[in-house]
Amino acid sequence: MGTQPGAQNAAASESAAEPPKREVLILDSFESLSECLVGVDGYTEVERNSQRVSHGDFSLKASFLLRTQFYPTPTPQATPYVKPGTQTATASPTATPPWRPRVLIGMGAATPLKTQDFSSYKALKLDVFNPEERPINGILEIADSRGYVFVLPAVGLSGQKVTTIGADLQDLASEDLDLIHIRHVAFHVDVSGRGSPPVLFLDYLRLEK
């Protein structure tokens, strides 16, 4: 029994409506233990996990530790006595730098990038699942072999959902990032105001054309 012309036309229309598939290079999907040997600077705890997976069978569970777990809150110092009539310069308070633990892939970690040449790709992307109800800011960092480090604007990771964060590589190239010689990719978390270390699940770090 032959196919009706109308059915053929409908099938052709559906096929034409399908968006073209993007060419993807997976940089890390955390499927093996060797892919989980990321750089953490001692301030992040990681483990391979079979939950909250967006690609394959495993993700990377990362706990981003707080500053107070390493450095105690400074004790206020007594104001020194100043002899009347003596002028002294008042020291300006030193701003405390933001505490942003990270996960790093590439040079500086046992897990290498699958390629250091990003020049033929349009975007770098990473899936992040935030299991908490409270949102948190995540930050991508890309560095090239000359030591140029590009820290992208923070992205709000909504609670209890997967957020895909990314970077437009051509925009970064216009700002002088050397896409042919990428040194590392890192993901930071801003833990400001947190009473306990936030836990996130990372997966499917990839390049897309």
Side-chain angles (χ1 to χ4, degrees), residues 105-166:
I105 298 169
M107 297 182 68
T111 299
L113 292 168
K114 293 290 194 306
T115 181
Q116 291 181 278
D117 186 354
F118 289 13
S119 61
S120 61
Y121 295 88
K122 293 181 178 179
L124 171 73
K125 295 185 178 180
L126 173 68
D127 293 345
V128 185
F129 178 80
N130 175 12
E132 299 182 6
E133 294 185 2
R134 178 182 177 182
I136 190 169
N137 286 334
I139 302 161
L140 271 181
E141 169 191 311
I142 308 176
D144 65 24
S145 59
R146 299 170 301 174
Y148 287 16
V149 179
F150 289 78
V151 179
L152 280 74
V155 175
L157 307 174
S158 300
Q160 299 185 337
K161 66 177 291 187
V162 175
T163 301
T164 298
I165 65 174

Coordinates of all heavy atoms in Angstrom, one line a residue, residues 105-166:
I105 N 39.7 23.1 34.7 CA 40.1 22.0 33.8 C 41.1 22.6 32.8 O 40.9 23.7 32.2 CB 38.8 21.5 33.0 CG1 37.8 20.9 34.1 CG2 39.2 20.5 32.0 CD1 36.5 20.6 33.5
G106 N 42.2 21.9 32.6 CA 43.2 22.3 31.7 C 44.5 22.4 32.4 O 44.8 21.6 33.4
M107 N 45.4 23.2 32.0 CA 46.7 23.4 32.6 C 46.6 23.8 34.0 O 45.8 24.8 34.3 CB 47.6 24.3 31.8 CG 47.9 23.8 30.4 SD 49.0 25.0 29.5 CE 50.5 24.8 30.4
G108 N 47.2 23.1 35.0 CA 47.0 23.4 36.4 C 46.1 22.3 37.0 O 45.9 22.4 38.2
A109 N 45.6 21.4 36.2 CA 44.8 20.3 36.8 C 45.3 19.0 36.1 O 45.9 19.0 35.0 CB 43.3 20.5 36.5
A110 N 45.0 17.9 36.7 CA 45.3 16.6 36.1 C 44.4 16.3 34.9 O 44.8 15.5 34.0 CB 45.2 15.5 37.2
T111 N 43.2 16.8 34.9 CA 42.3 16.6 33.8 C 42.6 17.7 32.7 O 42.4 18.9 32.9 CB 40.8 16.7 34.2 OG1 40.6 15.7 35.2 CG2 39.9 16.5 33.0
P112 N 43.1 17.3 31.5 CA 43.4 18.2 30.5 C 42.1 18.6 29.7 O 41.1 17.9 29.7 CB 44.4 17.5 29.6 CG 44.0 16.1 29.7 CD 43.4 15.9 31.1
L113 N 42.2 19.7 28.9 CA 41.2 20.0 27.9 C 41.4 19.0 26.7 O 42.5 18.6 26.4 CB 41.4 21.4 27.4 CG 41.0 22.5 28.4 CD1 41.5 23.9 27.9 CD2 39.5 22.6 28.7
K114 N 40.3 18.6 26.1 CA 40.4 17.7 25.0 C 41.1 18.4 23.8 O 41.7 17.8 22.9 CB 39.0 17.3 24.5 CG 38.2 16.4 25.5 CD 38.8 15.0 25.6 CE 38.0 14.0 26.3 NZ 37.5 14.5 27.7
T115 N 41.0 19.7 23.7 CA 41.7 20.5 22.8 C 42.0 21.9 23.4 O 41.2 22.4 24.2 CB 40.9 20.7 21.5 OG1 41.7 21.5 20.5 CG2 39.6 21.4 21.7
Q116 N 43.1 22.5 23.0 CA 43.4 23.9 23.4 C 43.1 24.9 22.3 O 43.2 26.1 22.5 CB 44.9 24.0 23.7 CG 45.3 23.2 25.0 CD 46.7 23.4 25.4 OE1 47.6 22.7 24.8 NE2 47.0 24.3 26.2
D117 N 42.6 24.4 21.1 CA 42.3 25.2 20.0 C 40.8 25.4 19.9 O 40.1 24.5 19.5 CB 42.8 24.6 18.7 CG 42.6 25.6 17.5 OD1 42.0 26.6 17.7 OD2 43.2 25.2 16.4
F118 N 40.3 26.5 20.4 CA 38.8 26.8 20.4 C 38.5 27.6 19.1 O 37.3 28.1 19.0 CB 38.4 27.6 21.6 CG 38.5 26.8 22.9 CD1 39.1 25.6 23.0 CD2 37.9 27.4 24.0 CE1 39.1 24.9 24.2 CE2 37.9 26.7 25.3 CZ 38.5 25.4 25.3
S119 N 39.4 27.9 18.2 CA 39.2 28.9 17.2 C 38.1 28.6 16.2 O 37.5 29.5 15.6 CB 40.5 29.2 16.5 OG 41.0 28.0 15.8
S120 N 37.8 27.3 16.0 CA 36.7 27.0 15.0 C 35.4 26.8 15.6 O 34.4 26.4 15.0 CB 37.1 25.7 14.3 OG 37.2 24.6 15.2
Y121 N 35.2 27.2 16.9 CA 33.9 27.1 17.6 C 33.4 28.4 18.0 O 34.1 29.4 18.1 CB 34.1 26.2 18.8 CG 34.5 24.8 18.5 CD1 35.8 24.4 18.4 CD2 33.5 23.8 18.3 CE1 36.2 23.1 18.1 CE2 33.9 22.5 18.0 CZ 35.2 22.2 17.9 OH 35.5 20.9 17.6
K122 N 32.1 28.5 18.1 CA 31.4 29.7 18.4 C 31.1 30.0 19.9 O 31.1 31.1 20.4 CB 30.0 29.8 17.7 CG 30.2 29.9 16.2 CD 28.8 30.0 15.5 CE 28.9 30.1 14.0 NZ 27.5 30.2 13.4
A123 N 30.9 28.9 20.6 CA 30.5 29.0 22.0 C 31.1 27.9 22.9 O 31.3 26.8 22.5 CB 29.0 29.0 22.1
L124 N 31.3 28.3 24.1 CA 31.7 27.4 25.2 C 30.5 27.3 26.2 O 30.0 28.4 26.6 CB 32.9 27.9 26.0 CG 33.3 27.2 27.3 CD1 33.9 25.8 26.9 CD2 34.3 28.0 28.1
K125 N 30.1 26.1 26.5 CA 28.9 26.0 27.4 C 29.2 24.9 28.5 O 29.9 24.0 28.3 CB 27.7 25.6 26.6 CG 27.3 26.6 25.6 CD 26.0 26.3 24.9 CE 25.5 27.4 23.9 NZ 24.3 27.0 23.2
L126 N 28.5 25.1 29.6 CA 28.5 24.2 30.8 C 27.1 24.2 31.4 O 26.5 25.2 31.6 CB 29.5 24.7 31.8 CG 29.6 24.0 33.1 CD1 30.2 22.6 33.0 CD2 30.5 24.8 34.1
D127 N 26.7 22.9 31.7 CA 25.4 22.8 32.4 C 25.7 22.7 33.9 O 26.6 22.0 34.4 CB 24.7 21.5 32.0 CG 24.3 21.5 30.5 OD1 24.2 22.6 30.0 OD2 24.0 20.4 30.0
V128 N 24.9 23.5 34.7 CA 25.0 23.5 36.2 C 23.7 23.3 36.8 O 22.7 24.1 36.5 CB 25.7 24.9 36.6 CG1 25.9 24.8 38.1 CG2 26.9 25.2 35.9
F129 N 23.6 22.4 37.7 CA 22.3 22.2 38.5 C 22.5 22.7 39.9 O 23.5 22.3 40.6 CB 21.9 20.7 38.5 CG 20.7 20.4 39.3 CD1 19.4 20.6 38.7 CD2 20.7 20.0 40.6 CE1 18.3 20.4 39.5 CE2 19.6 19.7 41.3 CZ 18.4 20.0 40.8
N130 N 21.6 23.5 40.3 CA 21.6 24.1 41.7 C 20.4 23.4 42.4 O 19.3 23.7 42.2 CB 21.4 25.6 41.6 CG 21.2 26.2 43.0 OD1 21.5 25.6 44.0 ND2 20.8 27.4 43.1
P131 N 20.7 22.5 43.4 CA 19.7 21.8 44.1 C 19.0 22.6 45.2 O 17.9 22.2 45.7 CB 20.4 20.6 44.7 CG 21.8 21.1 44.9 CD 22.1 22.1 43.8
E132 N 19.5 23.7 45.5 CA 18.9 24.6 46.6 C 17.7 25.4 46.0 O 17.6 25.6 44.8 CB 19.9 25.5 47.2 CG 21.1 24.8 47.8 CD 22.1 25.8 48.5 OE1 21.7 27.0 48.5 OE2 23.1 25.4 49.0
E133 N 16.9 25.9 46.8 CA 15.8 26.8 46.4 C 16.4 28.2 46.2 O 15.9 28.9 45.3 CB 14.7 26.9 47.5 CG 14.0 25.6 47.6 CD 12.8 25.7 48.6 OE1 12.6 26.8 49.1 OE2 12.1 24.7 48.8
R134 N 17.5 28.5 46.9 CA 18.1 29.9 46.8 C 19.0 29.9 45.6 O 19.8 29.0 45.3 CB 18.9 30.1 48.0 CG 19.6 31.4 48.1 CD 20.4 31.6 49.4 NE 21.2 32.8 49.5 CZ 22.0 33.1 50.5 NH1 22.1 32.3 51.5 NH2 22.6 34.2 50.5
P135 N 18.9 31.0 44.7 CA 19.8 31.1 43.6 C 21.2 31.4 44.1 O 21.4 31.9 45.2 CB 19.2 32.2 42.8 CG 18.4 33.0 43.8 CD 17.9 32.1 44.8
I136 N 22.2 31.2 43.2 CA 23.6 31.5 43.5 C 24.2 32.0 42.2 O 23.8 31.6 41.1 CB 24.3 30.3 44.1 CG1 25.7 30.7 44.6 CG2 24.4 29.2 43.1 CD1 26.3 29.6 45.5
N137 N 25.3 32.8 42.3 CA 26.0 33.3 41.1 C 27.1 32.4 40.7 O 28.0 32.0 41.5 CB 26.5 34.7 41.3 CG 25.4 35.7 41.3 OD1 24.4 35.5 40.7 ND2 25.6 36.8 42.0
G138 N 27.2 32.0 39.4 CA 28.2 31.2 38.9 C 29.0 32.0 37.8 O 28.4 32.9 37.2
I139 N 30.3 31.8 37.7 CA 31.2 32.6 36.9 C 32.1 31.7 36.1 O 32.8 30.9 36.6 CB 32.0 33.6 37.8 CG1 31.1 34.5 38.6 CG2 32.9 34.5 36.9 CD1 31.8 35.1 39.8
L140 N 32.1 32.0 34.7 CA 33.1 31.3 33.9 C 34.4 32.1 33.7 O 34.3 33.3 33.6 CB 32.5 31.0 32.5 CG 31.7 29.7 32.3 CD1 31.2 29.7 30.8 CD2 32.5 28.5 32.6
E141 N 35.5 31.4 33.6 CA 36.8 32.0 33.4 C 37.5 31.2 32.3 O 37.5 30.0 32.3 CB 37.6 32.0 34.7 CG 39.1 32.4 34.5 CD 39.9 32.0 35.8 OE1 39.5 32.4 36.9 OE2 41.0 31.4 35.6
I142 N 38.1 32.0 31.4 CA 38.9 31.4 30.3 C 40.2 32.1 30.2 O 40.3 33.3 30.3 CB 38.2 31.5 28.9 CG1 36.7 31.0 29.0 CG2 38.9 30.7 27.9 CD1 35.9 31.2 27.7
A143 N 41.3 31.3 30.2 CA 42.6 31.8 30.1 C 43.4 31.3 28.9 O 43.2 30.1 28.6 CB 43.4 31.5 31.4
D144 N 44.2 32.1 28.3 CA 45.1 31.6 27.2 C 46.5 31.5 27.6 O 46.9 31.8 28.8 CB 44.9 32.5 26.0 CG 45.5 33.9 26.2 OD1 46.3 34.1 27.1 OD2 45.0 34.9 25.5
S145 N 47.3 31.0 26.7 CA 48.7 30.6 27.1 C 49.6 31.8 27.4 O 50.7 31.7 27.9 CB 49.3 29.7 26.0 OG 49.3 30.4 24.8
R146 N 49.1 33.0 27.0 CA 49.9 34.2 27.3 C 49.7 34.7 28.7 O 50.3 35.7 29.1 CB 49.6 35.3 26.3 CG 49.8 34.9 24.8 CD 49.2 36.0 23.9 NE 47.8 36.1 24.1 CZ 47.0 37.0 23.5 NH1 47.6 37.9 22.7 NH2 45.7 37.0 23.7
G147 N 48.7 34.1 29.4 CA 48.4 34.5 30.7 C 47.3 35.5 30.8 O 46.9 36.0 31.9
Y148 N 46.6 35.8 29.6 CA 45.4 36.6 29.7 C 44.3 35.8 30.3 O 44.0 34.7 29.8 CB 45.0 37.0 28.3 CG 45.9 38.1 27.6 CD1 47.2 38.3 28.1 CD2 45.5 38.8 26.5 CE1 48.0 39.3 27.6 CE2 46.3 39.7 25.9 CZ 47.5 40.0 26.5 OH 48.3 41.0 25.9
V149 N 43.6 36.3 31.3 CA 42.5 35.7 31.9 C 41.2 36.5 31.8 O 41.2 37.7 32.1 CB 42.8 35.5 33.4 CG1 41.6 34.8 34.1 CG2 44.0 34.6 33.6
F150 N 40.2 35.9 31.2 CA 38.9 36.6 31.0 C 37.9 36.0 31.9 O 37.6 34.8 31.9 CB 38.5 36.4 29.5 CG 39.3 37.2 28.6 CD1 40.5 36.8 28.1 CD2 38.8 38.4 28.1 CE1 41.3 37.5 27.3 CE2 39.6 39.2 27.2 CZ 40.8 38.7 26.8
V151 N 37.4 36.8 32.8 CA 36.4 36.4 33.8 C 35.1 37.0 33.3 O 34.9 38.2 33.2 CB 36.7 36.9 35.2 CG1 35.6 36.5 36.2 CG2 38.0 36.3 35.7
L152 N 34.1 36.2 33.0 CA 32.8 36.6 32.4 C 31.9 37.1 33.5 O 32.1 36.7 34.7 CB 32.2 35.5 31.6 CG 32.7 35.3 30.2 CD1 34.1 34.6 30.2 CD2 31.8 34.5 29.3
P153 N 30.9 37.9 33.2 CA 30.0 38.4 34.2 C 29.3 37.2 34.9 O 29.0 36.2 34.3 CB 29.0 39.2 33.4 CG 29.8 39.7 32.2 CD 30.7 38.5 31.9
A154 N 28.9 37.4 36.1 CA 28.3 36.4 36.9 C 26.9 36.1 36.3 O 26.2 37.0 35.8 CB 28.1 36.8 38.4
V155 N 26.5 34.8 36.4 CA 25.2 34.3 35.9 C 24.4 33.8 37.1 O 25.0 32.9 37.8 CB 25.4 33.3 34.8 CG1 24.0 32.7 34.4 CG2 26.1 33.8 33.6
G156 N 23.2 34.2 37.2 CA 22.4 33.7 38.3 C 21.9 32.3 38.0 O 21.3 32.0 37.0
L157 N 22.2 31.3 38.9 CA 21.8 29.9 38.8 C 20.5 29.7 39.6 O 20.6 29.7 40.8 CB 22.9 29.0 39.2 CG 24.3 29.2 38.6 CD1 25.3 28.3 39.3 CD2 24.3 29.0 37.1
S158 N 19.4 29.6 38.9 CA 18.1 29.5 39.6 C 18.1 28.2 40.4 O 18.7 27.2 40.1 CB 17.0 29.5 38.6 OG 17.0 30.7 37.9
G159 N 17.3 28.2 41.5 CA 17.2 27.0 42.4 C 16.4 25.9 41.7 O 15.5 26.1 41.0
Q160 N 16.9 24.7 42.0 CA 16.3 23.4 41.6 C 16.1 23.3 40.1 O 15.0 22.8 39.7 CB 14.9 23.3 42.4 CG 15.1 23.3 43.9 CD 13.8 23.0 44.6 OE1 12.8 23.2 44.1 NE2 14.0 22.5 45.9
K161 N 17.0 23.7 39.4 CA 17.0 23.6 37.9 C 18.4 23.6 37.3 O 19.3 24.0 38.0 CB 16.1 24.6 37.3 CG 16.7 26.0 37.4 CD 15.8 27.0 36.6 CE 15.8 26.8 35.1 NZ 15.1 27.9 34.4
V162 N 18.5 23.1 36.1 CA 19.7 23.2 35.3 C 19.8 24.5 34.6 O 18.8 24.9 33.9 CB 19.8 22.0 34.3 CG1 21.1 22.1 33.5 CG2 19.9 20.7 35.1
T163 N 20.9 25.2 34.7 CA 21.2 26.4 33.9 C 22.4 26.1 33.0 O 23.4 25.6 33.5 CB 21.5 27.6 34.9 OG1 20.4 27.8 35.7 CG2 21.7 28.8 34.1
T164 N 22.3 26.5 31.8 CA 23.4 26.4 30.9 C 24.1 27.7 30.8 O 23.4 28.7 30.4 CB 23.0 25.9 29.5 OG1 22.4 24.6 29.5 CG2 24.2 25.9 28.5
I165 N 25.3 27.8 31.2 CA 26.0 29.1 31.2 C 27.1 28.9 30.0 O 27.5 27.8 29.7 CB 26.7 29.5 32.5 CG1 27.8 28.4 32.9 CG2 25.7 29.5 33.6 CD1 28.6 28.9 34.1
G166 N 27.4 30.1 29.4 CA 28.3 30.0 28.3 C 29.1 31.2 28.0 O 28.8 32.3 28.6

